Amino acid sequence: MRSTRAKAKLAAAALSAVVLFGVSGTVPLTSTAAGASGAKAGGCASSARRAAEPSGQAPPPAHAMVGYVLSYCTDFNGTALPRGWGKFIGVPSGDPSGYFDPTHVIVKGGLLTLNTWRDPSRHNQWATGGVCQCSRSQRYGAYFVRSRVTGPGDDEVQLLWPAAHVWPPEVDFNETGARATTTAWYVHYEADNHQLAKVLRVNLTQWHTWGVIWTPHTITFTVDHKVWGIVRSESVIPRERMTLDIQQQTWCGLAPECPKKPVAMLVDWVAEYALR
């Protein structure tokens, strides 16, 4: 969530038992167990190397989704962000107590790591990491992010953000708040920031695959290929191009999201699909 703090208080909800893989009536997917069958779109490793994924699970195959095509994939090999990604820098809009520092973004060992710590260069104030797939936008599609956090404290978010930077809309498909035991999805819409949302109880220190499937008619939220929310109201669904953002914020001056010790979000891979 890049530009506002207004969030509704929500009751936790149970995870839907509907599994996406091969289930009629949802978006059918095939198993990720075998990897992407040699697909290298966006820089994912070949299938022969997928057993070495830090999270123990490979990205979905290239043809995992009926009616979709793999449009991008990265497993963050190397020591720099892949082409098309950028690091946030500066004070977040609406959050004068926070600061995005590019040095808090590290790519190493097949992981993208966003770090929150008290930074001596910022008078020992908390600083965080944030990235966007700034030069790559889509209108509709599916996004999957394999990640975990090391502990509670700050707000860890994976979201879709309008490419034109005119807010709202915004689609948060994994926003943790100050905890490592719950997360939520949010859809922000209309100029006065109406919201739809749902909370999930989950251990965020374990690896999970977070997904959002965005079509002209629905937004479907998934975790580990299980549905935990569907928005069917077409009037709230974004119609413009969006980019993927992954970020941390502390909100120490405004809200409870203020860590007591350094924390991190680890991202193993990102896979994206476009509607055919």
Side-chain angles (χ1 to χ4, degrees):
M1 183 183 68
R2 290 213 298 208
S3 64
T4 183
R5 185 58 213 157
K7 293 285 191 180
K9 186 174 181 180
L10 305 167
L15 178 64
S16 168
V18 178
V19 180
L20 284 178
F21 288 102
V23 173
S24 176
T26 66
V27 179
L29 298 175
T30 57
S31 174
T32 62
S37 191
K40 296 183 180 180
C44 279
S46 67
S47 57
R49 297 183 58 194
R50 288 177 181 269
E53 295 286 350
S55 70
Q57 186 178 107
H63 305 291
M65 300 186 66
V66 175
Y68 290 76
V69 60
L70 182 70
S71 57
Y72 181 84
C73 186
T74 183
D75 49 13
F76 298 103
N77 287 321
T79 57
L81 283 173
R83 182 179 301 176
W85 292 77
K87 302 175 183 179
F88 296 166
I89 184 170
V91 177
S93 176
D95 177 18
S97 66
Y99 192 81
F100 289 124
D101 192 315
T103 67
H104 288 234
V105 177
I106 297 172
V107 179
K108 185 178 180 180
L111 291 172
L112 165 66
T113 304
L114 307 183
N115 296 284
T116 297
W117 67 67
R118 290 188 180 274
D119 199 315
S121 69
R122 301 293 307 168
H123 307 291
N124 214 35
Q125 297 297 306
W126 292 102
T128 63
V131 298
C132 62
Q133 205 175 7
C134 317
S135 65
R136 183 181 184 87
S137 63
Q138 287 188 163
R139 180 181 291 112
Y140 311 124
Y143 297 77
F144 298 94
V145 178
R146 180 84 171 158
S147 68
R148 74 176 186 89
V149 301
T150 61
D154 58 0
D155 194 21
E156 312 268 5
V157 196
Q158 298 160 9
L159 69 144
L160 303 183
W161 181 262
H165 300 290
V166 177
W167 180 92
E170 175 183 341
V171 179
D172 308 302
F173 59 100
N174 176 22
E175 179 165 3
T176 69
R179 294 183 159 188
T181 54
T182 62
T183 191
W185 60 255
Y186 295 87
V187 178
H188 298 254
Y189 63 100
E190 297 186 356
D192 52 354
N193 188 25
H194 289 288
Q195 300 170 36
L196 299 177
K198 189 175 183 179
V199 168
L200 174 70
R201 298 188 189 280
V202 62
N203 183 352
L204 295 164
T205 65
Q206 297 179 349
W207 287 104
H208 297 286
T209 301
W210 301 96
V212 59
I213 303 167
W214 167 36
T215 79
H217 310 293
T218 59
I219 303 174
T220 302
F221 299 92
T222 70
V223 56
D224 300 329
H225 319 301
K226 297 180 181 180
V227 174
W228 64 295
I230 302 177
V231 172
R232 294 186 172 89
S233 177
E234 295 188 14
S235 64
V236 311
I237 295 173
R239 305 296 176 190
E240 62 230 70
R241 300 183 74 87
M242 308 278 277
T243 63
L244 174 65
D245 291 13
I246 304 173
Q247 67 181 59
Q248 304 168 305
Q249 281 188 249
T250 56
W251 301 100
C252 289
L254 301 174
E257 289 88 343
C258 192
K260 293 180 171 58
K261 61 181 181 180
V263 293
M265 183 202 297
L266 285 63
V267 179
D268 188 3
W269 48 258
V270 169
E272 301 169 10
Y273 293 79
L275 284 167
R276 291 186 186 274

